[in-house]
């Protein structure tokens, strides 16, 4: 259902789980396609973005089947360097992660391939990936402004990379590492600001010769990768996505104080992904991590969110790379907090599936929340409880705006209609069922 109305509820409670981590799911498929032999993936996020990655890898020669009766996927890899030119364009749908990772993957294979995407993805800039990939020797024929469609003519004799990232982006870093995989010799990527490190962990698990050290003078992360390894098959286990868990957790925090908690089980709590938990902790939220364990080389835990008072914060911009995808729902938390919150260092939000700063500012302001838009962030005047609500939110084909708006509607005093929820399927199929199972109320009727 593309149009929904989120109606106010007293609070959510109960126990649930969320789909597999989207970032890890993309990488598990890509790295499996580059191994020699058969890999399996358990817990793969079977959402539109990840399925687009699977389809593209099939077109490049990998065999991918699943899910089986146990929910596992099987991938027969072609080995590093074994990808072949596809018969047609590779449609990445709405997936910025998929598009950027494939630009790196294809740059050092002797193939010709064209990447296309939907209207939202076709507006997103790719120059931040294309420019640092140029030294490999690959050629790129891009649309206006470096946007999709992009035709990649991969280098038959690729050159090693030595790159210092100019923007903190795990997508750019991972694209460069995938390019380095099929490059002879040693490549180096220097990351001044740490971003999620799933690629590094997973490359090591597959047998790549990769090291991560800290530069003694600057503290930057220095990632060295020896190219053209023979990667070994891996049985991957994908943890629950903390970016998806953020929605029921924040909704749980915003219930009536003293109410029952919301528990989300099996969530990945990689330290480079838990900035949201740190920000909420600074606001006074009570979120407990219980049953800590490891899955597929990633730390996981059950997260328990207890409803209670939240206070405004001035967020440390250094947190931004660790919570960039969770900012829309963090703004909803700030809208209900006591006091005025200030968030900066978030310029990256302007080049996501939508301009998320502008989209969330519009959504909050329309529903009675005081908002000031900064060049790289937002100032949000908390209502100290429930904002007024009552206004339709334009989601701009952005899954995280849609889900954040549905949570907002549940904590306002008046219902909040959402213009289009179709994009939610790109990352969190089953979102409506998960939330209603905890007590949320969505319908398609009149206000």
């Amino acid at each position: 259902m593309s149009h929904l109305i989120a109606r106010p509820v007293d609070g959510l409670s109960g126990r649930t789980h969320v789909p597999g981590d989207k970032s890890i799911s993309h990488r598990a498929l890509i790295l499996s396609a580059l191994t020699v032999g058969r890999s399996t993936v358990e817990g793969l996020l079977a959402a539109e973005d990840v399925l687009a990655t699977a389809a593209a890898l099939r077109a490049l020669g990998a065999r991918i089947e699943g899910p089986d009766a146990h929910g596992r996927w099987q991938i027969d890899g072609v080995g590093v360097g074994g990808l072949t030119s596809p018969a047609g364009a590779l449609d990445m749908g709405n997936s910025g992660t998929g598009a950027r990772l494939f630009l790196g993957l294809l740059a050092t294979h002797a193939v010709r391939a064209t990447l296309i995407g939907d209207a939202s993805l076709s507006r997103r800039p790719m120059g931040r990936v294309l420019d640092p990939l140029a030294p490999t020797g690959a050629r790129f024929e891009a649309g206006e402004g470096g946007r999709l469609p992009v035709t990649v003519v991969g280098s038959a004799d690729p050159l090693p990379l030595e790159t210092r990232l100019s923007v903190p982006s795990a997508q750019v870093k991972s694209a460069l590492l995938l390019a380095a995989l099929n490059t002879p010799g040693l490549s180096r990527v220097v990351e001044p600001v740490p971003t999620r490190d799933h690629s590094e962990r997973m490359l090591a698990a597959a047998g790549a010769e990769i090291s991560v050290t800290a530069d003694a003078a600057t503290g930057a992360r220095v990632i060295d990768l020896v190219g053209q390894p023979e990667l070994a098959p891996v049985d991957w286990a994908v943890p629950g996505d903390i970016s998806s868990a953020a929605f029921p957790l924040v909704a749980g925090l915003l219930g009536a104080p003293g109410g029952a908690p919301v528990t989300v089980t099996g969530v990945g709590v990689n330290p480079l992904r838990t900035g949201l938990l740190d920000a909420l902790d600074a606001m006074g939220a009570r979120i407990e991590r219980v049953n800590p364990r490891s899955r597929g080389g990633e730390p996981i835990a059950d997260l328990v969110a207890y409803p209670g008072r939240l206070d405004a914060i001035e967020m440390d911009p250094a947190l931004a790379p660790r919570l960039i995808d969770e900012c829309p729902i963090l703004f909803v938390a700030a809208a209900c907090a006591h006091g005025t919150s200030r968030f900066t260092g978030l310029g990256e939000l302007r080049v996501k599936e939508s301009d998320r700063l502008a989209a969330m500012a519009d959504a909050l302001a329309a529903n009675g929340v005081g908002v000031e838009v900064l060049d790289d962030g937002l100032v949000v005047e908390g209502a100290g409880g429930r904002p007024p609500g009552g206004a339709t939110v334009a989601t701009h084909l952005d899954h995280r705006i849609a889900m954040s708006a549905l949570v907002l509607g549940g904590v306002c005093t008046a219902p909040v209609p959402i213009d289009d929820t179709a994009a939610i399927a790109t990352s969190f199929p089953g979102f409506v069922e998960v939330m209603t199972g905890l007590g949320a109320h969505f319908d398609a009727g009149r206000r």
Side-chain angles (χ1 to χ4, degrees):
M1 185 177 299
S2 62
H3 176 85
L4 283 180
I5 298 171
R7 299 191 181 277
V9 294
D10 290 336
L12 305 189
S13 64
R15 187 178 183 89
T16 192
H17 65 277
V18 295
D21 187 283
K22 184 154 71 83
S23 296
I24 295 175
S25 294
H26 282 298
R27 289 159 174 80
L29 289 174
I30 292 171
L31 291 181
S32 295
L34 298 177
T35 64
V36 178
R38 173 169 290 182
S39 297
T40 64
V41 185
E42 178 186 350
L44 184 85
L45 172 63
E48 290 176 358
D49 280 5
V50 176
L51 296 178
T53 285
L57 290 169
R58 290 189 189 101
L60 293 165
R63 181 180 177 185
I64 301 177
E65 296 179 346
D68 64 15
H70 303 286
R72 289 189 295 265
W73 293 69
Q74 294 184 338
I75 303 95
D76 292 317
V78 296
V80 172
L83 300 179
T84 56
S85 295
L90 304 179
D91 188 350
M92 307 313 302
N94 188 249
S95 179
T97 299
R100 290 173 175 143
L101 296 190
F102 271 82
L103 289 172
L105 177 67
L106 297 170
T108 55
H109 280 77
V111 301
R112 181 183 181 93
T114 299
L115 301 183
I116 62 174
D118 67 9
S120 174
L121 182 58
S122 297
R123 292 193 295 265
R124 300 180 67 179
M126 296 294 153
R128 61 177 54 196
V129 183
L130 300 179
D131 292 344
L133 286 172
T136 63
R139 290 193 297 111
F140 302 100
E141 301 165 7
E144 183 179 355
R147 292 174 169 81
L148 297 185
V150 176
T151 296
V152 183
V153 182
S155 175
D157 298 298
L159 300 173
L161 291 164
E162 183 156 352
T163 306
R164 183 180 182 87
L165 296 182
S166 59
V167 294
S169 169
Q171 292 177 357
V172 176
K173 172 181 67 176
S174 298
L176 294 170
L177 293 176
L178 289 173
L181 264 184
N182 197 36
T183 300
L186 179 71
S187 290
R188 171 170 289 179
V189 178
V190 179
E191 186 178 41
V193 178
T195 64
R196 59 187 67 178
D197 63 350
H198 304 308
S199 294
E200 297 94 304
R201 290 172 180 256
M202 297 174 76
L203 282 163
E209 188 176 337
I210 185 171
S211 66
V212 181
T213 57
D215 182 275
T218 66
R221 295 177 80 241
V222 179
I223 307 164
D224 288 330
L225 177 64
V226 178
Q228 297 182 331
E230 182 172 305
L231 297 181
V234 178
D235 293 327
W236 305 104
V238 181
D241 196 328
I242 194 167
S243 296
S244 296
F247 300 102
L249 289 173
V250 169
L253 294 174
L254 298 178
V262 165
T263 299
V264 185
T265 60
V267 180
V269 288
N270 183 306
L272 292 173
R273 293 286 301 279
T274 53
L276 174 70
L277 302 183
D278 293 342
L280 291 171
D281 180 69
M283 297 175 77
R286 181 185 172 193
I287 300 180
E288 294 182 353
R289 305 186 194 194
V290 300
N291 192 20
R293 53 216 190 265
S294 178
R295 183 179 186 186
E298 293 277 347
I300 65 173
D302 301 336
L303 300 179
V304 186
Y306 293 85
R309 176 187 170 112
L310 296 182
D311 291 307
I313 58 167
E314 182 161 345
M315 192 189 81
D316 183 352
L319 271 182
R322 297 176 49 226
L323 54 63
I324 198 71
D325 286 337
E326 294 78 54
C327 284
I329 192 62
L330 179 60
F331 298 151
V332 172
C336 299
H338 295 259
T340 299
S341 294
R342 184 180 181 90
F343 304 95
T344 56
L346 304 177
E348 182 74 7
L349 290 180
R350 294 203 179 272
V351 292
K352 290 290 187 177
E353 283 84 339
S354 66
D355 179 341
R356 286 181 176 163
L357 289 179
M360 284 304 300
D362 290 346
L364 294 174
N367 284 285
V369 179
V371 182
E372 179 187 353
V373 182
L374 310 174
D375 287 343
D376 68 341
L378 291 183
V379 177
V380 181
E381 298 178 15
R386 293 179 177 268
T392 298
V393 171
T395 61
H396 303 282
L397 303 176
D398 189 321
H399 53 127
R400 300 204 193 280
I401 302 299
M403 290 184 281
S404 297
L406 289 171
V407 172
L408 175 66
V411 298
C412 286
T413 58
V416 174
I418 313 301
D419 74 338
D420 189 351
T421 61
I424 291 174
T426 65
S427 70
F428 196 163
F431 169 82
V432 168
E433 291 77 10
V434 165
M435 296 296 288
T436 54
L438 296 170
H441 183 184
F442 309 135
D443 63 48
R446 297 173 60 89
R447 281 188 286 169

